Amino acid sequence: MIRNILGSLVALAGAASAVLSPFRDWYDGRAGQDYRVRDLFEGVTATESGVLVSILLPFLFAALLVIAGVVLRSRIAVALAGLVVLGFTILWMVRQGQAAGSLTVGGDGAGLQVGVVNALAGGVLMLIGALLMRGRGRGAARARARREREPEPVEPYGAPPADQVDMWPPTQEPGMSTHTSPWPEPEVDPYTGPDPHDPRTRSYPQAPPPGRAGDPRDPVHPPQRPPEG
């Protein structure tokens, strides 16, 4: 985060220096805005140029590219802006050297002047700003890709509207709600087997009623006569 802020400030400072450079003297007292963009490709002439068709035009484009790179945190855009400024400045130096025979640096106003220094410094600052910026980072890209892969949670059963009857969630069939009371349902008595006093559910011999002599014989397995020997 800190590196992005620092790199953005450096890149914006470079863009400001590059945009202001055409309004200062470049060579022999001639301002950068007096050089046409077409002179950089066809050769420097003494013809005056308008502001919007001068060397200021590519520098404005580079400044807009820096602003877009800072907003989008794009190191490539900021670096490209720096290369645009340095490329046009160096191309101007080549054309000016061809027109003048040689390039000189003098403190008396003859030769290269402060406008060229501002343009070169602006391009270098843009490149430094691009190096300082971290961009969006691989972590943010991985997190975004992971969010795109993960499916959004979907509720299996939506809540029924207030003006409709309750819906039973598993089958979505209309009907009254199973829980119509806030109190818990009563528990059912556990099954303990058939009633021993109920003759309909009894599968074993009946016991003799109390006070009555029972038959000693087993009604299920009656005694058998022993075999005659």
Side-chain angles (χ1 to χ4, degrees):
M1 183 66 180
I2 297 177
R3 289 188 57 179
N4 280 331
I5 295 176
L6 182 59
S8 299
L9 293 177
V10 173
L12 291 174
S17 178
V19 171
L20 292 176
S21 64
F23 299 98
R24 311 192 70 175
D25 293 341
W26 277 48
Y27 196 82
D28 285 340
R30 189 178 181 182
Q33 62 180 349
D34 293 335
Y35 293 95
R36 298 178 301 176
V37 175
R38 59 182 300 181
D39 291 345
L40 304 181
F41 302 95
E42 299 177 357
V44 176
T45 62
T47 306
E48 298 293 333
S49 173
V51 177
L52 296 180
V53 294
S54 66
I55 199 175
L56 176 64
L57 183 62
F59 290 175
L60 284 176
F61 171 77
L64 294 176
L65 201 57
V66 168
I67 294 174
V70 169
V71 172
L72 300 176
R73 288 187 296 176
S74 174
R75 302 175 60 185
I76 297 178
V78 176
L80 181 60
L83 293 177
V84 168
V85 173
L86 290 178
F88 275 90
T89 304
I90 294 174
L91 181 59
W92 172 87
M93 294 174 65
V94 172
R95 293 301 186 184
Q96 181 62 42
Q98 293 176 349
S102 63
L103 289 178
T104 58
V105 180
D108 55 353
L112 298 175
Q113 294 183 289
V114 66
V116 181
V117 177
N118 288 345
L120 293 175
V124 173
L125 288 176
M126 293 179 193
L127 294 179
I128 294 175
L131 293 176
L132 291 176
M133 294 174 62
R134 293 179 59 90
R136 293 185 178 272
R138 296 182 178 179
R142 287 196 297 266
R144 185 173 62 255
R146 185 168 56 253
R147 288 194 301 269
E148 292 176 354
R149 289 195 302 267
E150 293 179 354
E152 297 182 358
V154 179
E155 296 184 0
Y157 307 109
D163 57 345
Q164 295 183 5
V165 297
D166 295 337
M167 304 292 287
W168 177 244
T171 59
Q172 293 292 320
E173 295 179 356
M176 298 302 295
S177 175
T178 56
H179 299 286
T180 58
S181 174
W183 304 104
E185 296 182 357
E187 296 183 0
V188 181
D189 294 337
Y191 177 73
T192 58
D195 187 1
H197 301 290
D198 189 355
R200 294 174 301 177
T201 60
R202 189 166 50 206
S203 60
Y204 50 85
Q206 299 182 4
R212 177 181 172 183
D215 188 355
R217 293 176 300 175
D218 187 357
V220 179
H221 303 285
Q224 298 181 2
R225 180 179 299 179
E228 297 179 356

